[in-house]
Amino acid sequence: MDFVLDSSRSPDAFPPIDFRAQLNDEQFAAVTATPGPLLVLAGAGSGKTRTLTYRVAYLLSQGVRPGEILLLTFTNKAAKEMLHRVQDLTGVEPSRFWGGTFHSIGNRALRIYGDAIGLPRNFTILDADESESLLKQVVETEDKLFFKDKTNPRPGPLFNVLSLARNTQKSVIETVERQFQQYSEIKLMLPPFAAAYAKKKHEQGVVDYDDLLELWLQLLQKSPEVAAYFAQRFQHLLVDEYQDTNTIQSQLIDTLAPHHRIMAVGDDAQCIYSWRGADFENIMTFPDRHPATVIHRIETNYRSTPQILSFANGVLEAQPKGRHFDKELRASRANSQKPYVVQVMDDREQAEFILKRLRALIEDEGVPPGEIAILYRSHFHALEVQLALSRAGVPYQITSGVKFFERQHVRDLIAFIQFVANPRNESAWLRIAVLLPKVGEKGAQKIHAVAAEHAKLMQRDFIDALATDDVKSKVSKDARDEWANFCASLKQISDVMRTGKPDSVISTAIDGWYGDYMKGEYADYIDRLEELKALIGFAARFDDIGEMLSQVALMNGETSDRHVEVPPDSVKLTTVHQSKGLEFDVVFVIGLADGQFPGRRSIEAGDVEEERRLFYVAVTRAKNELYLSYPKVATRAGPGGMLLNPSRFLLEVPAELYQELKVRRSYSW
């Protein structure tokens, strides 16, 4: 194996850059810092990308060759953007750098030196579907009955469990206990599956996405020659969004840079992705792992008004002492109005307030709809807002997924209700029947035809006819074990539908066969279950199940993206997680009640710090106006509701940093 360094190329000559004139004092200090371990704490809206870009240009101006710089990012888009900006500044082409995502750089390294750990250079990278398919084969070889139990994770969710364990370097059992409690009873079965899956990949000379990190780290740890080559080649490491690194990514950075010439750029206050592997401790312990670290703070914010930033600083001041880096955002803009804290009676009144304010902003004040965002902790918090906007004909775009009633699990549950309400509804039947093992559309149609004929011949209720032996004989062998429970659930829904209220019907459907099905189908089962429970409060406003179903159908018909093209300049609805990195003239943050934001599970676990950081991210998306609303009553709890307290995050902020608004109830729908 040959290790060759490109030392023949002389430093590039390019027009001098006036770094002092083009950067503020904080950025200039970081960009021109002496090489070594550097932790750049870049606050929201402070010019993080600009700092990284100019750092690369500065290193080039000091005689560092492009091939000696490694730039690690979380998206290829970010890497391309930075390197093209460098080209604009210096004329040095992006192709001369090693820059990209951790995974793309890992692939590049393994293609060159993977044979040092027995990996063929022509290895194939499996996509998500191929990875799940191979895992399915392995599991069925180990335990042919595992996937027969619908409460066990299917290949997709199972892959998610194993992937998170690998990226956090935790055992599969610990990962299940911490984040996938619906699989606790089978946790001991999963480690052998993981081992068999790894063995099969090795035998076939294939890797999955996670292997690009795991095997890259293994290569550096097991081949001192390769590790020494990379340490010598890459004299400078620059890492973007360092707070989002997982355990393997942090270990890769430390291993690649025994010389400690690392510039890690990030913000501990914006670490909000632990659920997908990000480790808050990576940024907090960076100075411990890299002695003599120099910390640079970039705190001048070019996005928000001083009043919004004062509120954001108030959020950070409530963090536990010693568990964060001190920082204080400073505004470069002129004074404006304070954020508004809005108390409403319930979710419907919250939606009405937002609708009225939206109309004033757009029609009277000239704010472009695309510059307005409504942010929420979880999808179901936006249900009433979606209903209000749809009824009022206000175009909106959900940038973090699909509309509530178009989400797959919501449509599934509604289909159960639709079918029981009208068994002749073959569309609803097809949607729920194909959820059974090995039941396709043709098989579902055959079952429905036999059941209809049997019900007519025997003068029986259609739902009762489904459970008869004559109908069961037409069900695929793989589905027969579940058929009895499937039919029993439909019968329970039918019984409640005759005598109960719509909210009771929804609750019964959630507790039935479909609730168990979701455990195996979705790794984020607990979150989706919360969303379905939100339907209980929605259903409570109706006296008749038919009326509720009609309203759902009308809303889907009015707002479905398949029929109506959403104008690009539309109001944005998104989760706070998906809003990170974005900015808007006006921001509404809704559902700010304890148990909603922060969420109930975080409160019960006694750890709300990531939720507080999430609130900080939400607040700092706003440029000009910020509205923070909370309901006094949780309508999703059903008739009468449940009393709520304002979010502790609101109560922690000094009252002089915001102004209160109270609205009057006047909606009529």
Side-chain angles (χ1 to χ4, degrees):
M1 187 182 302
D2 296 324
F3 300 94
V4 180
L5 292 173
D6 179 11
S7 58
S8 61
R9 191 182 299 273
S10 60
D12 295 81
F14 50 82
I17 300 170
D18 189 345
F19 292 97
R20 176 66 274 181
Q22 297 185 36
L23 300 167
N24 67 29
D25 291 346
E26 300 160 340
Q27 294 168 342
F28 180 78
V31 164
T32 60
T34 302
L38 303 170
L39 180 58
V40 180
L41 300 173
S46 64
K48 167 181 66 67
T49 301
R50 185 176 185 83
T51 301
L52 271 171
T53 301
Y54 274 82
R55 176 63 174 181
V56 176
Y58 178 76
L59 291 174
L60 295 175
S61 74
Q62 299 300 299
V64 176
R65 298 177 176 85
E68 296 174 338
I69 299 171
L70 175 59
L71 174 63
L72 292 167
T73 64
F74 279 86
T75 66
N76 283 313
K77 179 182 177 182
K80 289 178 181 177
E81 179 184 343
M82 288 184 207
L83 292 179
H84 277 101
R85 288 192 190 183
V86 170
Q87 184 179 19
D88 292 340
L89 286 171
T90 67
V92 178
E93 297 178 355
S95 60
R96 294 180 58 192
F97 296 91
W98 275 50
T101 65
F102 284 85
H103 294 87
S104 67
I105 300 298
N107 174 52
R108 193 170 175 180
L110 291 169
R111 292 289 178 193
I112 302 172
Y113 300 117
D115 53 355
I117 54 171
L119 184 68
R121 295 192 182 190
N122 66 341
F123 64 82
T124 301
I125 303 174
L126 302 176
D127 63 24
D129 289 339
E130 291 167 335
S131 299
E132 291 172 17
S133 178
L134 184 60
L135 178 61
K136 181 175 184 289
Q137 294 173 27
V138 167
V139 172
E140 289 178 337
T141 300
E142 296 285 312
D143 183 349
K144 62 182 180 181
L145 298 178
F146 183 80
F147 292 126
K148 300 288 186 183
D149 187 336
K150 69 176 180 296
T151 63
N152 287 345
R154 286 164 180 73
L158 178 58
F159 185 85
N160 288 340
V161 174
L162 303 185
S163 175
L164 186 61
R166 294 165 67 188
N167 280 286
T168 57
Q169 297 287 276
K170 298 282 195 301
S171 72
V172 174
I173 291 175
E174 182 180 353
T175 301
V176 169
E177 290 172 343
R178 288 168 62 92
Q179 294 192 244
F180 301 97
Q181 294 178 5
Q182 68 267 32
Y183 305 137
S184 293
E185 293 183 3
I186 60 163
K187 61 186 178 185
L188 296 178
M189 301 175 66
L190 305 188
F193 295 158
Y197 173 62
K199 181 180 178 184
K200 181 64 69 175
K201 285 184 296 178
H202 182 71
E203 291 172 353
Q204 296 185 1
V206 299
V207 303
D208 62 26
Y209 200 55
D210 296 325
D211 285 319
L212 297 176
L213 299 187
E214 277 195 308
L215 295 179
W216 184 18
L217 180 60
Q218 187 182 124
L219 171 65
L220 295 172
Q221 292 174 336
K222 292 189 174 182
S223 176
E225 297 88 353
V226 174
Y229 165 74
F230 279 116
Q232 185 181 1
R233 167 155 193 164
F234 298 124
Q235 293 293 304
H236 301 271
L237 265 68
L238 283 73
V239 188
D240 188 24
E241 301 285 10
Y242 186 79
Q243 78 281 347
D244 293 337
T245 55
N246 61 35
T247 304
I248 291 185
Q249 290 162 335
S250 175
Q251 292 175 350
L252 280 166
I253 294 164
D254 293 351
T255 307
L256 284 164
H259 48 62
H260 301 293
R261 286 188 290 276
I262 305 169
M263 174 180 274
V265 181
D267 183 2
D268 58 298
Q270 296 187 70
C271 183
I272 58 173
Y273 295 118
S274 68
W275 49 276
R276 68 183 191 197
D279 189 347
F280 180 70
E281 293 302 318
N282 289 346
I283 192 167
M284 295 306 300
T285 60
F286 183 90
D288 300 327
R289 300 194 315 279
H290 300 281
T293 291
V294 177
I295 297 177
H296 291 268
R297 288 174 169 81
I298 304 179
E299 299 172 322
T300 302
N301 177 286
Y302 295 93
R303 174 187 301 157
S304 306
T305 65
Q307 285 69 26
I308 291 174
L309 295 183
S310 292
F311 188 96
N313 288 330
V315 174
L316 294 187
E317 286 172 5
Q319 294 179 104
K321 300 300 181 187
R323 292 295 302 138
H324 63 93
F325 290 107
D326 292 332
K327 67 181 68 65
E328 183 177 356
L329 296 177
R330 293 186 298 276
S332 64
R333 297 181 53 193
N335 283 316
S336 185
Q337 60 200 13
K338 295 179 181 179
Y340 294 94
V341 172
V342 187
Q343 180 192 88
V344 293
M345 179 58 66
D346 53 24
D347 290 344
R348 296 172 74 186
E349 188 171 84
Q350 179 174 249
E352 184 198 46
F353 161 73
I354 290 172
L355 180 60
K356 285 184 176 180
R357 186 66 192 119
L358 281 179
R359 283 173 168 158
L361 287 165
I362 297 169
E363 297 171 9
D364 302 333
E365 301 172 34
V367 178
E371 282 295 328
I372 302 173
I374 301 167
L375 310 184
Y376 37 86
R377 176 64 183 85
S378 301
H379 287 286
F380 64 83
H381 295 152
L383 172 56
E384 294 291 347
V385 173
Q386 291 183 42
L387 298 180
L389 297 181
S390 296
R391 292 177 190 279
V394 176
Y396 66 94
Q397 180 182 10
I398 301 205
T399 61
S400 57
V402 298
K403 295 177 173 64
F404 183 85
F405 281 106
E406 292 177 2
R407 286 174 64 74
Q408 184 172 330
H409 53 297
V410 175
R411 293 184 67 192
D412 285 347
L413 194 80
I414 292 295
F416 271 92
I417 309 300
Q418 289 173 326
F419 172 70
V420 173
N422 175 18
R424 290 175 296 176
N425 184 339
E426 288 194 46
S427 296
W429 167 254
L430 289 178
R431 184 171 187 94
I432 64 175
V434 298
L435 300 178
L436 291 159
K438 303 292 185 181
V439 175
E441 286 196 9
K442 289 185 178 179
Q445 290 170 340
K446 185 184 297 184
I447 295 169
H448 190 275
V450 171
E453 182 180 348
H454 191 71
K456 182 178 180 181
L457 181 66
M458 303 299 294
Q459 295 186 326
R460 300 185 66 172
D461 181 88
F462 193 104
I463 303 297
D464 291 334
L466 284 172
T468 62
D469 290 339
D470 287 348
V471 176
K472 183 178 180 180
S473 67
K474 304 300 179 183
V475 177
S476 70
K477 286 176 59 178
D478 293 285
R480 287 179 190 171
D481 288 343
E482 295 188 29
W483 186 250
N485 288 335
F486 180 81
C487 293
S489 182
L490 293 173
K491 176 65 174 172
Q492 290 168 351
I493 296 170
S494 177
D495 291 343
V496 174
M497 195 175 289
R498 291 192 185 97
T499 59
K501 296 285 188 181
D503 55 326
S504 298
V505 175
I506 297 291
S507 181
T508 302
I510 294 172
D511 292 338
W513 181 90
Y514 187 69
D516 287 337
Y517 167 85
M518 282 208 311
K519 289 182 182 178
E521 182 67 16
Y522 301 113
D524 58 347
Y525 157 78
I526 296 175
D527 292 330
R528 291 179 185 255
L529 183 62
E530 286 289 308
E531 292 180 14
L532 290 185
K533 288 180 178 178
L535 282 173
I536 297 173
F538 169 76
R541 71 173 65 175
F542 301 98
D543 294 322
D544 177 72
I545 195 70
E547 182 188 359
M548 188 203 85
L549 292 174
S550 295
Q551 289 298 315
V552 172
L554 286 171
M555 284 182 296
N556 279 343
E558 292 166 0
T559 65
S560 173
D561 289 338
R562 291 167 301 201
H563 306 295
V564 179
E565 188 172 336
V566 179
D569 191 30
S570 301
V571 175
K572 303 298 187 291
L573 273 68
T574 182
T575 62
V576 182
H577 281 104
Q578 290 292 327
S579 74
K580 186 172 176 288
L582 304 177
E583 58 183 37
F584 305 91
D585 286 347
V586 181
V587 168
F588 296 83
V589 186
I590 66 174
L592 282 166
D594 253 26
Q596 294 184 359
F597 198 168
R600 174 178 51 81
R601 277 181 286 154
S602 296
I603 295 172
E604 291 174 351
D607 184 8
V608 299
E609 290 314 302
E610 184 161 330
E611 296 274 297
R612 181 182 281 109
R613 297 193 293 270
L614 191 63
F615 181 49
Y616 168 79
V617 168
V619 167
T620 53
R621 299 311 94 196
K623 293 194 285 187
N624 302 329
E625 295 182 39
L626 175 63
Y627 298 87
L628 308 156
S629 63
Y630 66 93
K632 293 171 63 178
V633 175
T635 51
R636 61 186 294 261
M642 179 179 69
L643 291 178
L644 298 171
N645 293 317
S647 170
R648 62 194 64 195
F649 302 148
L650 287 176
L651 299 178
E652 290 167 349
V653 177
E656 63 268 18
L657 298 181
Y658 58 84
Q659 46 193 326
E660 293 189 66
L661 279 180
K662 292 189 179 180
V663 298
R664 291 183 297 174
R665 189 185 192 115
S666 61
Y667 56 76
S668 58
W669 68 84

